[in-house]
Each structure stands twice: as structure tokens, then as C-alpha cells.
């Protein structure tokens, strides 16, 4: 999932392992070896990572509310429907 997210960012030339290494260095995640496959890692948020995620999520939701505030209820329904359709396409490509 992380690799797909990074690959979808135009102009970004970074591997998922580089992203994870940076997140780990910043204290946001911990990686442990998978018990099923030692070549894979299990990634978990640290307390600090969870706090940062929650803070950024709140910022994101505030921007989203501000953007959607200019739309009436019918227009919001159209946007939500279009976003759901796009999400289905993204999920199907995984």
C-alpha cells in the first residue's frame, strides 16, 4: 500500500523502504520482522506517530470542511459520489 501511494506521486523518486526509514528515524514508526516471512517487516505507529497522525488528520479535516463549505448539499453529494467512484478504481488496481 505504501509503495503504491509513493508510486502515484508524480516527480517523487523514493522507495517505500526510504520512506519507512525516515519515519522510523523520526520516531513515528517501529519495524519488526514478520514471523511468517523474515524478508518482510511489520510496521506499527509509535505513540508519537499516532499523535502526529491525529494532529495531521485534524488539520486535513479542517481544510476539507472549509473546501466543502462553499457547496450546497446537492453539490456535496455529487462530490462524495465521484470520490467513491475514484476510490473503487484505486482499490481495484491494488
Amino acid at each position: 500500500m505504501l509503495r503504491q501511494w509513493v508510486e502515484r506521486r508524480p516527480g517523487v523518486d523514493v522507495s517505500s523502504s526510504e520512506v519507512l526509514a525516515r519515519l522510523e528515524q523520526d520516531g513515528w514508526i517501529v519495524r519488526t520482522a514478520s514471523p511468517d516471512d523474515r524478508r518482510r517487516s511489520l510496521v506499527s505507529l509509535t505513540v508519537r506517530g499516532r499523535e502526529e497522525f491525529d494532529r495531521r488528520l485534524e488539520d486535513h479535516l479542517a481544510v476539507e470542511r472549509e473546501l466543502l463549505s462553499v457547496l450546497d448539499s446537492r453539490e456535496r453529494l455529487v462530490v462524495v459520489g465521484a470520490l467513491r467512484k475514484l476510490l473503487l478504481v484505486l482499490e481495484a488496481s491494488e
Side-chain angles (χ1 to χ4, degrees), residues 66-80:
E66 183 179 343
L67 288 171
L68 293 174
S69 71
V70 300
L71 303 176
D72 63 34
S73 60
R74 185 183 58 69
E75 291 169 324
R76 277 189 225 123
L77 287 174
V78 170
V79 169
V80 168

Side-chain angles (χ1 to χ4, degrees), residues 52-67:
E52 186 65 23
F53 174 83
D54 289 343
R55 185 187 68 75
R56 289 178 185 232
L57 179 61
E58 281 304 313
D59 292 345
H60 171 80
L61 292 175
V63 170
E64 186 178 287
R65 281 190 295 274
E66 183 179 343
L67 288 171

Side-chain angles (χ1 to χ4, degrees), residues 77-92:
L77 287 174
V78 170
V79 169
V80 168
L83 290 173
R84 281 189 179 134
K85 188 173 186 178
L86 292 172
L87 182 59
L88 290 173
V89 171
L90 288 173
E91 288 175 345

Side-chain angles (χ1 to χ4, degrees), residues 14-16 33 38 47 56 63 68:
V14 64
S15 71
S16 57
R38 304 280 299 165
V47 171
R56 289 178 185 232
V63 170
L68 293 174

